[in-house]
Amino acid sequence: MYNQDQTYKVIVMGGSAGSFSVVSHILAGINPEFKIPIVLCLHRLKHVRSGLVEGLSLKSVIPVVEPNDKAKLRPNTVYLAPSNYHLFLELDGSIALSTEESFNHSRPSIDYTLSSAAYAFRDRVLGILLTGANKDGARGIKEIADNKGFTIVQDPKSCDIDTMPRSALQLFQPDLVLDPQQILEFLNALPQ
Amino acid sequence: MQNREERQTYKDYLQVLKECSPYDFCEYSDNSIDRRIQKIMQDYRLNLDELIYKTRTDEEFVELVVEAITVNTTELFRDPPVWKHLYEKVYWALKSRPKINIWHAGCSSGQEVYSNLILLDIMGLADKCEIYATDISKKSLEVANSGSYKYNFNFQKYLNNFQDAFPNLPKEKFLGYFDIDESKDRMSVKPSLLGKAKFIKHDLVKQPLPFYNKFDLIFCRNVLIYFNSGLQSRIIQKFHDTLFPGGAMVLGTHESINGFFKTKFAKNGPVYERTNTFHFKY
């Protein structure tokens, strides 16, 4: 259950088809002083490998970076999984990248990022799964819930393509099911 | 994923592997190694005790474990901007040299080596290059030596990379370096490029360098991400000491140098150039 006093160490967000506009909306409206690091794992088209950081940076009010391997999470920063790499969170709060085989036909794989966050941060993770056309991410966000982290799944009714949130909802019951505007309001109301 | 006690047992397993084989993975980064060991246990249907027993008693199995632990994914012309930079900047500067020494450390199945050979051939530099390519995995080196890759799965991606890297070159240029056999699902490097690089089995972590040359260029892409920081620094030092002053190191796009050796290299686009500063032993 949601605990008013809980502060989260990291927010991990996964999404695929249609998620760019949702993430843009959230990053444009978020409190510019928002402290908790946000890690994004978004699928992208294989032949369009660059440009996503630039695209998100246009609207975002907090800096968006593609981290290097072993970079430490810092407050007030958005970390975007680089194309063609898996992104993991480590126990010491650093980021690890890997070029291992694709998982769920995806690199980066959202399952990998979310479950590493669940393992490294336990109940101090807030996981959010957005719209997408693939089931990657469903198992990962369930692992966050299993480790007592807080979970939000985008309301399938508000999704461009709802395969991703639906496959998550088949696996478990998240703490909240919200549309993008509600997700934004929820984040801005979090204790920092 | 797994619980913390399991993570400790994986560490114990690496100790076993270190004791009874020539390999040492103890300083690989936890995250990836745990997942790889888990996968081995699933694939061979072993629990940890059985895995340890098999590792102690079966030498051939140890080789399989090494194959499974190391990550072998690679592409021709992976990260096109890097190749563009090599083409436009790095090799132009080396053009007047009588000889160019190149080392691909952790070359996997050789795609990077052939990408480089194709670029050098296009620039007319291939004949004055001495190219060494090393990897820990015997199986990958066999593929690298053959220069033959799956066609359907790879071709379009490889061609796209090439065209992104060299938009001014026609795609026939790329096609000219391969024999393509669709019925056998194979694309093979033309014999003229085969044998130009020397592929050598070498463990970057434990073995001394298998050559005495110094190098103008060292490729080591997406290898260091699997090592912990201490090991990373030691390998960077190795590279530093075996590079000519002014020589360059090409790492993966999202790898960087941390700690002391940061001051010993200057970042120029995607490459790290060895600077010629003194350093003192304290």
Side-chain angles (χ1 to χ4, degrees):
Chain A
M1 251 336 277
Y2 178 56
N3 172 357
Q4 279 287 321
D5 303 324
Q6 177 69 292
T7 52
Y8 294 98
K9 290 236 165 143
V10 66
I11 293 170
V12 283
M13 226 187 279
S16 176
S19 63
F20 179 80
S21 57
V22 178
V23 174
S24 286
H25 177 77
I26 292 171
L27 294 183
I30 204 158
N31 173 7
E33 310 272 286
F34 193 81
K35 287 235 171 47
I36 312 169
I38 300 176
V39 176
L40 293 175
C41 182
L42 305 178
H43 294 161
R44 30 182 127 183
L45 296 171
K46 280 224 168 63
H47 56 277
V48 195
R49 282 182 176 167
S50 51
L52 194 52
V53 173
E54 292 79 359
L56 289 173
S57 298
L58 282 178
K59 288 204 171 166
S60 177
V61 293
I62 43 185
V64 184
V65 297
E66 277 188 344
N68 281 339
D69 182 56
K70 305 220 183 349
K72 285 255 191 284
L73 289 177
R74 296 191 180 287
N76 195 236
T77 310
V78 179
Y79 297 88
L80 175 68
S83 82
N84 229 352
Y85 285 91
H86 294 301
L87 183 152
F88 302 90
L89 296 179
E90 294 271 26
L91 287 171
D92 63 355
S94 68
I95 287 171
L97 300 177
S98 153
T99 60
E100 272 160 78
E101 298 78 3
S102 302
F103 188 67
N104 295 329
H105 307 289
S106 311
R107 190 169 62 204
S109 151
I110 302 170
D111 273 345
Y112 276 176
T113 303
L114 296 188
S115 55
S116 74
Y119 172 71
F121 292 95
R122 307 265 134 174
D123 60 344
R124 312 292 296 276
V125 192
L126 199 165
I128 305 176
L129 194 66
L130 304 172
T131 157
N134 167 317
K135 68 174 174 56
D136 185 31
R139 274 170 48 195
I141 196 152
K142 178 175 183 291
E143 264 182 64
I144 292 182
D146 292 347
N147 284 287
K148 314 249 181 322
F150 195 82
T151 51
I152 301 174
V153 171
Q154 187 181 346
D155 187 346
K157 285 196 286 279
S158 69
C159 290
D160 280 5
I161 300 175
D162 62 9
T163 318
M164 195 178 279
R166 272 198 197 287
S167 33
L169 294 176
Q170 275 165 15
L171 284 182
F172 81 117
Q173 187 182 13
D175 295 297
L176 292 170
V177 177
L178 302 175
D179 69 29
Q181 181 58 30
Q182 290 169 322
I183 295 175
L184 173 58
E185 285 160 13
F186 179 87
L187 291 179
N188 277 336
L190 281 176
Q192 295 283 317
Chain B
M1 209 162 262
Q2 74 266 126
N3 60 41
R4 275 154 217 252
E5 294 77 57
E6 274 172 12
R7 190 166 265 212
Q8 195 47 51
T9 33
Y10 292 141
K11 283 230 187 321
D12 296 343
Y13 175 67
L14 294 181
Q15 202 58 43
V16 172
L17 199 58
K18 185 179 174 176
E19 283 163 16
C20 59
S21 82
Y23 304 105
D24 182 359
F25 293 101
C26 291
E27 288 177 284
Y28 277 52
S29 79
D30 295 342
N31 186 317
S32 65
I33 203 100
D34 290 359
R35 221 163 336 98
R36 306 303 277 186
I37 294 175
Q38 238 178 357
K39 190 165 179 299
I40 295 167
M41 288 168 38
Q42 274 166 18
D43 289 353
Y44 293 92
R45 301 188 181 191
L46 300 169
N47 64 30
L48 195 70
D49 290 339
E50 291 162 347
L51 179 67
I52 289 175
Y53 177 76
K54 216 165 153 58
T55 305
R56 285 195 191 279
T57 51
D58 184 346
E59 273 182 40
E60 279 172 34
F61 179 72
V62 171
E63 292 297 322
L64 293 175
V65 168
V66 172
E67 300 294 338
I69 286 182
T70 49
V71 172
N72 298 317
T73 48
T74 171
E75 298 167 20
L76 284 174
F77 299 103
R78 185 185 159 111
D79 305 318
V82 173
W83 296 96
K84 193 175 152 83
H85 181 87
L86 286 170
Y87 177 50
E88 291 172 354
K89 303 273 163 56
V90 178
Y91 285 131
W92 277 102
L94 292 174
K95 233 175 164 166
S96 56
R97 296 278 184 88
K99 194 158 173 284
I100 304 170
N101 288 342
I102 300 171
W103 174 22
H104 294 264
C107 67
S108 183
S109 43
Q111 278 88 331
E112 201 113 308
V113 181
Y114 292 112
S115 308
N116 195 32
L117 266 169
I118 289 171
L119 175 57
L120 290 167
D121 195 68
I122 289 173
M123 298 189 76
L125 298 173
D127 287 336
K128 60 179 174 187
C129 290
E130 179 110 7
I131 301 174
Y132 295 93
T134 59
D135 200 89
I136 192 174
S137 157
K138 192 169 153 233
K139 216 162 105 192
S140 294
L141 285 171
E142 280 165 14
V143 179
N145 248 321
S146 76
S148 171
Y149 305 107
K150 278 194 178 142
Y151 171 77
N152 285 315
F153 183 72
N154 294 317
F155 179 74
Q156 200 53 47
K157 183 167 59 185
Y158 290 177
L159 180 60
N160 288 345
N161 283 350
F162 178 82
Q163 290 182 307
D164 288 348
F166 315 112
N168 299 327
L169 298 176
K171 80 171 190 192
E172 285 69 28
K173 200 93 195 170
F174 177 80
L175 298 177
Y177 287 103
F178 294 94
D179 290 317
I180 289 168
D181 187 339
E182 286 189 47
S183 64
K184 287 189 182 141
D185 191 21
R186 283 278 132 194
M187 56 187 294
S188 310
V189 177
K190 281 256 158 73
S192 61
L193 291 185
L194 289 179
K196 286 211 171 171
K198 295 178 193 68
F199 291 100
I200 304 164
K201 184 170 181 333
H202 172 247
D203 179 355
L204 196 55
V205 177
K206 273 190 90 176
Q207 290 176 313
L209 298 184
F211 26 63
Y212 295 106
N213 312 33
K214 288 212 169 195
F215 291 92
D216 297 286
L217 206 52
I218 296 176
F219 289 81
C220 184
R221 307 196 60 213
N222 300 316
V223 175
L224 300 179
I225 50 179
Y226 302 106
F227 300 162
N228 70 22
S229 321
L231 181 56
Q232 271 186 355
S233 296
R234 291 212 313 276
I235 303 295
I236 297 278
Q237 166 147 33
K238 235 184 225 191
F239 291 158
H240 177 270
D241 295 346
T242 192
L243 272 174
F244 286 118
M249 191 163 71
V250 188
L251 302 179
T253 341
H254 287 277
E255 291 175 312
S256 59
I257 305 175
N258 295 312
F260 175 68
F261 277 89
K262 203 170 179 165
T263 59
K264 300 285 155 199
F265 289 91
K267 189 158 198 254
N268 187 352
V271 305
Y272 290 86
E273 285 165 8
R274 186 191 147 161
T275 54
N276 206 7
T277 50
F278 285 108
H279 68 262
F280 300 99
K281 276 193 175 155
Y282 292 102

